[in-house]
Amino acid sequence: MPKNCKAVKRELDDDVRESVKDLLSNEDTCDDSFKKSSLIVGSGRGSDAENEAARPAWNSKLQYILAQVGFSVGLGNVWRFPYLCQKNGGGAYLVPYLILLIVIGIPLFFLELSVGQRIRRGSIGVWNYISPRLGGIGFASCVVCFFVALYYNVIIGWSLFYFSQSFQQPLPWHECPLVKNKTTMFVVPECEKSSATTYYWYREALNISDSISESGGLNWRMTICLLAAWSIVCLAMIKGIQSSGKVMYFSSLFPYVVLICFLVRALLLKGSVDGIRHMFTPKLEIMLEAKVWREAATQVFFALGLGFGGVIAFSSYNKRDNNCHFDAVLVSFINFFTSVLATLVVFAVLGFKANIMNAKCVIVALLGNEVSHDLIPHHINFSATVSAEDYQQMTEILRGVMEKDYPRLGLDSCSIEEELNKAVQGTGLAFIAFTEAMTHFPASPFWSVMFFLMLVNLGLGSMFGTIEGIITPLVDTFKVRKEFLTVGVCLLAFFIGLLFVQRSGNYWVAMFDDYSATLPLLIVVILENVAVAWVYGTDKFFEDLKDMLGFTPFRFYYYMWKYVTPLLLILLLGSSVIQLGMTPPSYSAWLEDMASEKSLKYPPWGLGVCISLVVMAIMPVPVVFFLRYFNIIDENAGVVSTISYKKGCIIKESVRPEEDDDASLIHAKSPGSEAPSPMPGNSIYRKQSGGVPDAAPNGRYGIGYLMADMPDMPESDL
């Protein structure tokens, strides 16, 4: 090259460098129109940069993990998992549960964490972003969350009532009440036919009616407890994760302290080993039954809170480079070990209770049949608890000596195994079986206070996630004040919740528990899986995860998301529908005259309510699909996509997937990190700051970037 050409090139390079220096030095002094200019993709409602920049975040990783653990670990871990373990083969039940946790639970949990963390929206915004026609998935999640919150907080209210009654010595459910007439005193017949704890639960606490058709009016004590429960939830959630995150330190950790204390105390009780031995004695033949696997899959599904939207809402406050795969595995196994810990506690206490009931049974049987004390081994003391070994030795002696008369004694009914096989779940376990066992504890009021305080905390942890699954999507979608929305939702839920604190309220709780969540949530999670794996694309989603996490997830997840998990979920949905069809809807009613439970069929209007709960929960999915399919609502409605620039740097970027098939969810980096250049569409059009952008030929708004005091530039230079 000639020397003069090199000199010209050097001069041009110097001019370019000087121009760049001038531009950079003048950047801070340019007008506000440059600093606040934004790129708007699509026909959204306007720039959302300020909302994204101001989006709250977790104070620490520990606070976030505790929130997810508090949401997933709930009352079901304490009173449903032990029941299923007892019912479905003891220790053998843990095998199908673990397998299904790995095949269904962790992949779906990881999927929800990933989409929430990247898109940084609640459930409505997330599924609108991935596929506007499937935007109804988010609304369905919100409806289910609302239904579940209605009755779940009633259970917290029940726990608050028992907590308030536990500061008494002896406990109020320790003995049956006496009624005095003109001449004598006698035990209340309803209590005498059942038990003190059963009577207290149904008559004193619930004052229950004989059927769901008999309203019986409000139970004023439970109404106050329900108001207190909603007040606690409202105050804890009113500032979003800034307030609820701090509460999580107590509500998530305290139950573990109580469970460990209960386990240590229960292991010191006589007969606790019988309960634990019963729990871990495997019945391997039961594992071959399809019903066991179906119930294990359902428990895995609900234990992790899949489909509620709470998992997505909590993860949306994370940094985009957070390792959500580690979070998914960690929280899933914490949930599993919590269930095992709670089961150990429950069976240790039930073993203690079974020994007490067995001793009473033996004493009544022996004394009632006037068995000679010479036939009873001398070391057996009926004033103390009769152990299983003593009982077995005694019955063998009596069977050998009184061969012909032994059946007449009726001692075979006094069996610890038979007592432990009496499967108890739900409210029956917490408010009847456990309370009865605690009456025999030394310092029983202390343990009662601790137990019901633990139930309150377990319930609140799950409630925070459930309410977050309602509040976050609505705030992100409709841009309302979180404080006003939280108060409004809690007030509305309280007034609707008065339905559950009538004398027939327990039957309504059972109805909502059976029909408002199971089928709708299964359908929601199936659609979530299909939306990511088949509509958005598993390959593309894997690229996004690699960009977000910094590594490629195991190929195991590819096959789970695309083939295995959807198939298993469809099978689970089909078996649930078949089960509902084979067993007509019914509920357990407490009959005062008989002092026992009886299964009753729902009246016709009750069946209508059951069907309406399922239909209302899932209705948003087809409604939104058809409205957008037939263009009654623009597919772009509610999808705000903005790239904002401040001082020449991208502070927010969202890319509409339908604008560019090759676009990935994970193109944007977290604020403050190095951001890629915006990906323009087919054409780029200038937008004056504060003005209306020019319309592109396809009818949509283009992308513009106005630099202060700069002349028009050709598209190629942009």
Side-chain angles (χ1 to χ4, degrees):
M1 179 182 292
K3 290 184 179 181
N4 59 345
C5 292
K6 291 182 179 180
V8 171
K9 181 179 183 302
R10 225 178 4 254
E11 289 176 4
L12 289 173
D13 289 344
D14 290 341
D15 290 342
V16 170
R17 278 196 293 271
E18 288 300 322
S19 299
V20 172
K21 286 181 182 179
D22 292 341
L23 178 62
L24 293 176
S25 62
N26 292 331
E27 183 184 276
D28 290 335
T29 59
C30 65
D31 62 18
D32 291 340
S33 63
F34 169 76
K35 294 180 181 180
K36 297 180 180 178
S37 61
S38 65
L39 294 177
I40 301 179
V41 183
S43 54
R45 295 179 206 147
S47 177
D48 197 31
E50 293 81 3
N51 290 338
E52 176 72 10
R55 188 174 184 81
W58 297 103
N59 292 334
S60 65
K61 180 67 175 281
L62 175 62
Q63 191 180 88
Y64 163 68
I65 293 295
L66 289 178
Q68 291 286 16
V69 169
F71 176 51
S72 65
V73 174
L75 298 174
N77 297 76
V78 175
W79 67 31
R80 180 160 175 80
F81 187 90
Y83 161 75
L84 292 173
C85 191
Q86 176 190 28
K87 176 185 173 186
N88 296 317
Y93 173 73
L94 300 179
V95 176
Y97 185 87
L98 260 178
I99 292 173
L100 292 170
L101 177 67
I102 294 171
V103 173
I104 292 180
I106 294 178
L108 291 175
F109 196 55
F110 180 29
L111 184 145
E112 288 200 358
L113 289 177
S114 302
V115 296
Q117 179 174 305
R118 163 54 191 96
I119 301 175
R120 307 198 74 189
R121 289 286 183 275
S123 55
I124 296 176
V126 160
W127 304 113
N128 267 336
Y129 189 103
I130 289 178
S131 174
R133 292 181 183 178
L134 294 177
I137 298 175
F139 287 99
S141 293
C142 288
V143 173
V144 173
C145 279
F146 187 71
F147 284 161
V148 171
L150 288 176
Y151 74 85
Y152 205 86
N153 224 23
V154 175
I155 301 174
I156 297 177
W158 293 343
S159 302
L160 285 173
F161 173 76
Y162 267 79
F163 172 74
S164 67
Q165 298 298 308
S166 297
F167 296 90
Q168 302 179 44
Q169 177 68 29
L171 292 169
W173 50 85
H174 179 68
E175 294 178 345
C176 286
L178 298 175
V179 178
K180 184 177 182 180
N181 60 15
K182 294 181 180 180
T183 56
T184 59
M185 292 184 65
F186 59 93
V187 177
V188 175
E190 185 181 3
C191 185
E192 190 175 20
K193 292 177 184 177
S194 53
S195 68
T197 50
T198 305
Y199 173 81
Y200 190 86
W201 166 242
Y202 284 116
R203 191 54 52 209
E204 297 292 337
L206 298 181
N207 193 18
I208 199 165
S209 61
D210 286 345
S211 72
I212 195 172
S213 301
E214 301 175 24
S215 168
L218 290 178
N219 181 335
W220 67 268
R221 290 189 293 185
M222 287 305 173
T223 303
I224 293 173
C225 291
L226 180 64
L227 178 61
W230 275 115
S231 300
I232 294 171
V233 171
C234 184
L235 291 174
M237 297 295 300
I238 197 165
K239 290 293 184 181
I241 63 170
Q242 281 86 356
S243 54
S244 65
K246 295 179 176 64
V247 178
M248 287 293 179
Y249 285 111
F250 181 76
S251 65
S252 297
L253 294 176
F254 180 74
Y256 291 96
V257 176
V258 176
L259 283 175
I260 292 171
C261 291
F262 257 98
L263 180 61
V264 173
R265 182 67 190 91
L267 290 175
L268 298 176
L269 297 170
K270 193 169 184 179
S272 61
V273 178
D274 295 329
I276 293 177
R277 187 190 300 119
H278 179 81
M279 168 193 167
F280 283 107
T281 301
K283 303 181 181 73
L284 298 177
E285 65 279 2
I286 298 182
M287 284 181 57
L288 302 177
E289 297 179 10
K291 181 182 177 183
V292 175
W293 290 83
R294 181 180 61 79
E295 292 189 342
T298 305
Q299 178 63 15
V300 166
F301 183 79
F302 288 105
L304 295 175
L306 301 173
F308 283 94
V311 172
I312 294 176
F314 279 152
S315 65
S316 72
Y317 300 113
N318 270 333
K319 296 179 180 178
R320 285 196 177 96
D321 59 352
N322 174 62
N323 188 350
C324 54
H325 176 257
F326 172 79
D327 300 341
V329 176
L330 177 66
V331 173
S332 298
F333 279 102
I334 288 176
N335 187 291
F336 172 70
F337 288 118
T338 304
S339 298
V340 174
L341 174 63
T343 304
L344 283 172
V345 173
V346 167
F347 273 88
V349 173
L350 291 181
F352 166 67
K353 174 178 174 286
N355 274 266
I356 291 175
M357 301 304 294
N358 179 70
K360 290 180 179 179
C361 177
V362 171
I363 292 171
V364 170
L366 291 176
L367 296 180
N369 290 283
E370 299 180 355
V371 175
S372 174
H373 287 272
D374 296 333
L375 299 176
I376 301 173
H378 296 293
H379 69 278
I380 296 178
N381 181 11
F382 286 118
S383 62
T385 303
V386 180
S387 67
E389 293 78 10
D390 292 342
Y391 171 75
Q392 185 177 3
Q393 181 183 356
M394 184 170 52
T395 53
E396 286 176 357
I397 293 172
L398 293 173
R399 188 182 286 109
V401 175
M402 306 172 64
E403 290 185 36
K404 295 181 180 179
D405 295 332
Y406 181 79
R408 180 177 58 81
L409 298 177
L411 290 178
D412 286 336
S413 62
C414 301
S415 169
I416 291 177
E417 289 297 317
E418 185 178 329
E419 191 69 32
L420 286 169
N421 280 327
K422 292 179 180 177
V424 182
Q425 69 161 323
T427 54
L429 176 64
F431 298 107
I432 297 176
F434 234 81
T435 51
E436 184 171 349
M438 283 187 295
T439 58
H440 301 285
F441 279 24
S444 54
F446 168 77
W447 294 105
S448 184
V449 167
M450 295 286 283
F451 177 72
F452 289 109
L453 186 58
M454 177 190 73
L455 289 189
V456 170
N457 278 275
L458 284 172
L460 287 175
S462 298
M463 274 298 296
F464 293 155
T466 304
I467 296 298
E468 198 68 56
I470 302 171
I471 301 297
T472 298
L474 295 180
V475 169
D476 290 341
T477 304
F478 300 107
K479 311 304 176 193
V480 295
R481 284 283 298 273
K482 176 166 283 191
E483 294 86 349
F484 296 153
L485 183 61
T486 303
V487 173
V489 167
C490 291
L491 279 174
L492 177 63
F494 168 71
F495 286 114
I496 298 176
L498 294 177
L499 178 70
F500 303 96
V501 290
Q502 304 174 96
R503 291 183 57 200
S504 61
N506 188 47
Y507 308 136
W508 287 95
V509 170
M511 177 193 288
F512 271 67
D513 189 31
D514 290 338
Y515 297 100
S516 69
T518 308
L519 289 179
L521 279 180
L522 273 173
I523 295 171
V524 165
V525 175
I526 290 171
L527 292 174
E528 287 181 355
N529 197 341
V530 170
V532 172
W534 292 93
V535 177
Y536 182 72
T538 313
D539 293 309
K540 199 184 300 181
F541 190 55
F542 253 64
E543 294 175 8
D544 300 339
L545 289 175
K546 181 180 179 181
D547 189 16
M548 184 169 71
L549 301 177
F551 62 89
T552 303
F554 298 114
R555 199 68 179 172
F556 163 81
Y557 292 106
Y558 181 93
Y559 298 107
M560 291 298 106
W561 285 331
K562 194 160 188 177
Y563 304 110
V564 179
T565 306
L567 178 61
L568 290 177
L569 288 174
I570 291 171
L571 289 175
L572 180 59
L573 177 63
S575 63
S576 299
V577 172
I578 292 172
Q579 185 201 18
L580 286 175
M582 293 175 63
T583 56
S586 61
Y587 65 100
S588 294
W590 178 260
L591 303 181
E592 183 176 359
D593 296 337
M594 299 172 57
S596 63
E597 288 186 330
K598 183 179 179 181
S599 181
L600 298 179
K601 293 182 179 179
Y602 284 108
W605 61 264
L607 289 174
V609 174
C610 294
I611 296 171
S612 298
L613 289 175
V614 177
V615 171
M616 284 192 293
I618 208 63
M619 185 58 69
V621 175
V623 168
V624 172
F625 179 85
F626 284 113
L627 288 177
R628 285 181 167 161
Y629 182 81
F630 293 107
N631 292 322
I632 299 174
I633 294 179
D634 184 10
E635 288 194 6
N636 303 323
V639 183
V640 180
S641 219
T642 308
I643 306 173
S644 298
Y645 287 79
K646 189 171 184 180
K647 295 187 177 180
C649 297
I650 300 175
I651 63 172
K652 175 175 177 275
E653 178 180 352
S654 291
V655 181
R656 287 254 319 282
E658 65 267 25
E659 286 292 316
D660 186 351
D661 290 337
D662 296 328
S664 293
L665 285 176
I666 318 300
H667 279 144
K669 305 293 183 183
S670 58
S673 64
E674 184 181 355
S677 300
M679 298 181 63
N682 297 330
S683 300
I684 302 179
Y685 298 85
R686 295 181 65 251
K687 167 184 174 292
Q688 299 293 334
S689 178
V692 179
D694 298 328
N698 60 5
R700 296 178 178 175
Y701 293 116
I703 303 177
Y705 184 8
L706 179 65
M707 303 182 70
D709 301 324
M710 292 187 66
D712 291 350
M713 297 174 62
E715 293 177 5
S716 58
D717 292 344
L718 278 175

